[in-house]
Amino acid sequence: MKNQWLLLVLMSFLGCASPSEKTPNNPGVQKEEVVKVSPFQLLLDSLFEAKPALKGVSMHIESPDRNISWTGAAGFADSATNRLLKPSDPVLIASTTKLYMSAITLKLVENGLFKLSDPIKSLLSKKTTKTLMSDGYDLEKITIAHLLSNTSGFYDYVNTKTFMDRTQNDLQHEWTRDEQIALAVSEGDPVGKPGETFSYSDVNFLLIGEIIEQQTGMPFYTAMRNFLDYEKHNLNHTWFNLLEATPGDLAPLTHQFATKLNSDSYTLHGSFDLYGGGGIAATPKDVARFSQALFNGKLFTNPETIELIFTNIETQDSVSANYYMGVKEIEIGNYKAYGHGGFWGTTVQYIPALNTSVSVFLMERDQWPVYLELMEDVVEILAETHSPNSTD
């Protein structure tokens, strides 16, 4: 245990008696039901109390082997109006969306629309093909797998001067996918040949979105909803902001901040991060449920399809980024975890050894380093928690 406080939290969770609990040995006194605060809520409350600069934090834990499906929150959904953050409040999950883009791509591979090893030239529109080839990209050698693994060599429009200027000075500019792809070409050059190096670029996932549309004949977000069967998996509070209707039973999107970058989600137009590199809005519960269904193979007809997500593109420079098909491997304490984070301070991580998914949303991305501390405490509690069916 990191500290005595966490030990007390764990004791509470495992059912140790509270000192104030009345017992049947007290004559004439009826035993009162002991109300226990979730140890996970104690973690969130303690974190927010120690670091109010977080503005707000929410979390969902999906751990079916322990019969745990828990959501909690602390702080504010909108610190300007002091609207308290509720566990069910939705946020923009930013690049955590890439995990969803990977899932729909693998689903279409499973359905035979294309293979991970297929070159992208014949899968894109003629307009996009012409734009990319004008900058020297070899679309006969760049494959779907290169896109999902960020090893394609595409320059990232996020790094261009125009993008940075507009997101600082023209906050309500409405971006299009074509505009962002063209920007990467006009203000940047290939960062390498296909498979040569890892270079994170949202262009990869914008192209995945276009390929989905070209091959299914429907908007990429509709294809995602249909092929991944949101309804079947109870993902009723997941949608692409600005592109799909907001579920009617939800509170407004939370107010998310990137203070050091002078940005916040209420003043920056959502189209800046919308077309597959980001764009999904969801609740903590939906995101963790999605992760749990994904990594357990439940989104696919053949559960073994999920193994494709761990396809590793070994780059020519041999520099490992621990990044597979739209998913990154990290360490949480002594455990491997797989998931994806996002610009606004969002993440979801699946821990195979615990068969558990944890989503964490911070309302202030500048506080990002604290999420791993929170995750480590959560995992430590879960590791000490036996399955209800355990004989240990």
Side-chain angles (χ1 to χ4, degrees):
M1 287 294 167
K2 288 182 180 178
N3 52 54
Q4 193 171 15
W5 177 81
L6 187 58
L7 177 60
L8 292 174
V9 169
L10 181 57
M11 289 173 63
S12 171
F13 184 53
L14 295 179
C16 298
S18 166
S20 62
E21 180 180 352
K22 296 182 179 180
T23 71
N25 294 329
N26 296 327
V29 177
Q30 184 177 1
K31 180 179 178 181
E32 295 180 359
E33 182 180 354
V34 179
V35 178
K36 296 178 181 177
V37 178
S38 163
F40 306 117
Q41 186 62 52
L42 290 175
L43 284 176
L44 294 185
D45 291 342
S46 175
L47 180 62
F48 181 69
E49 183 177 356
K51 298 182 181 292
L54 282 169
K55 296 184 173 67
V57 54
S58 58
M59 176 172 69
H60 183 85
I61 301 166
E62 197 70 21
S63 188
D65 297 347
R66 294 161 183 76
N67 283 349
I68 295 174
S69 181
W70 180 90
T71 313
F76 300 96
D78 185 349
S79 54
T81 63
N82 290 331
R83 175 164 64 95
L84 293 178
L85 183 64
K86 297 181 296 184
S88 60
D89 284 345
V91 309
L92 296 173
I93 69 171
S95 284
T96 305
T97 298
K98 292 179 171 69
L99 197 58
Y100 294 70
M101 296 297 286
S102 177
I104 178 60
T105 303
L106 298 188
K107 183 68 175 181
L108 298 183
V109 167
E110 180 181 67
N111 286 7
L113 274 70
F114 45 72
K115 300 187 291 292
L116 288 179
S117 58
D118 282 351
I120 65 173
K121 183 177 180 181
S122 63
L123 302 175
L124 293 165
S125 69
K126 291 181 178 179
K127 177 182 178 181
T128 299
T129 297
K130 183 178 179 180
T131 298
L132 297 174
M133 291 181 68
S134 71
D135 202 24
Y137 291 105
D138 189 345
L139 305 187
E140 293 283 10
K141 292 184 179 178
I142 298 173
T143 66
I144 295 285
H146 286 134
L147 299 182
L148 289 176
S149 61
N150 284 302
T151 59
S152 62
F154 283 114
Y155 189 83
D156 195 354
Y157 65 86
V158 173
N159 296 327
T160 65
K161 184 179 184 302
T162 296
F163 184 82
M164 294 304 296
D165 286 347
R166 285 183 180 168
T167 53
Q168 291 293 309
N169 304 312
D170 187 7
L171 300 180
Q172 287 302 298
H173 177 76
E174 294 191 32
W175 295 89
T176 67
R177 181 173 63 199
D178 287 350
E179 178 186 15
Q180 290 176 334
I181 293 172
L183 196 57
V185 168
S186 64
E187 294 190 25
D189 293 313
V191 297
K193 296 178 181 179
E196 187 172 41
T197 189
F198 174 87
S199 184
Y200 191 87
S201 173
D202 276 16
V203 170
N204 291 302
F205 290 85
L206 269 60
L207 296 178
I208 287 290
E210 181 176 301
I211 289 170
I212 291 169
E213 294 184 346
Q214 291 291 307
Q215 304 308 308
T216 66
M218 61 182 74
F220 74 95
Y221 48 88
T222 303
M224 184 179 295
R225 179 174 296 279
N226 292 347
F227 281 95
L228 298 181
D229 204 343
Y230 283 10
E231 185 174 356
K232 174 184 176 182
H233 297 288
N234 296 314
L235 304 178
N236 300 315
H237 297 135
T238 300
W239 76 102
F240 264 87
N241 184 44
L242 304 181
L243 300 177
E244 297 181 290
T246 303
D249 58 339
L250 289 179
L253 285 168
T254 63
H255 198 172
Q256 297 164 270
F257 294 84
T259 301
K260 290 181 181 177
L261 293 174
N262 245 356
S263 295
D264 71 89
S265 62
Y266 278 12
T267 57
L268 189 58
H269 197 276
S271 61
F272 92 103
D273 182 34
L274 181 60
Y275 303 104
I280 285 180
T283 61
K285 186 174 186 177
D286 263 32
V287 174
R289 275 183 169 178
F290 166 80
S291 171
Q292 196 65 21
L294 172 64
F295 286 105
N296 279 271
K298 294 182 179 180
L299 298 180
F300 309 108
T301 303
N302 179 359
E304 295 180 359
T305 298
I306 185 56
E307 295 304 320
L308 293 175
I309 208 168
F310 300 110
T311 301
N312 182 37
I313 303 296
E314 187 172 345
T315 56
Q316 294 172 26
D317 61 11
S318 299
V319 177
S320 174
N322 291 328
Y323 197 98
Y324 303 100
M325 300 289 105
V327 60
K328 185 173 177 63
E329 177 186 309
I330 66 169
E331 298 284 335
I332 301 177
N334 296 321
Y335 296 92
K336 289 187 184 297
Y338 299 91
H340 214 294
F343 171 80
W344 289 118
T346 62
T347 191
V348 66
Q349 299 294 330
Y350 175 73
I351 304 99
L354 302 176
N355 187 27
T356 294
S357 293
V358 183
S359 61
V360 173
F361 300 162
L362 308 181
M363 300 310 114
E364 172 59 83
R365 68 153 283 157
D366 293 353
Q367 295 293 313
W368 181 244
V370 305
Y371 108 87
L372 195 56
E373 298 174 21
L374 175 61
M375 282 280 197
E376 288 175 353
D377 286 343
V378 168
V379 165
E380 194 165 356
I381 293 173
L382 290 170
E384 296 291 334
T385 307
H386 295 299
S387 162
N389 299 318
S390 172
T391 59
D392 294 341

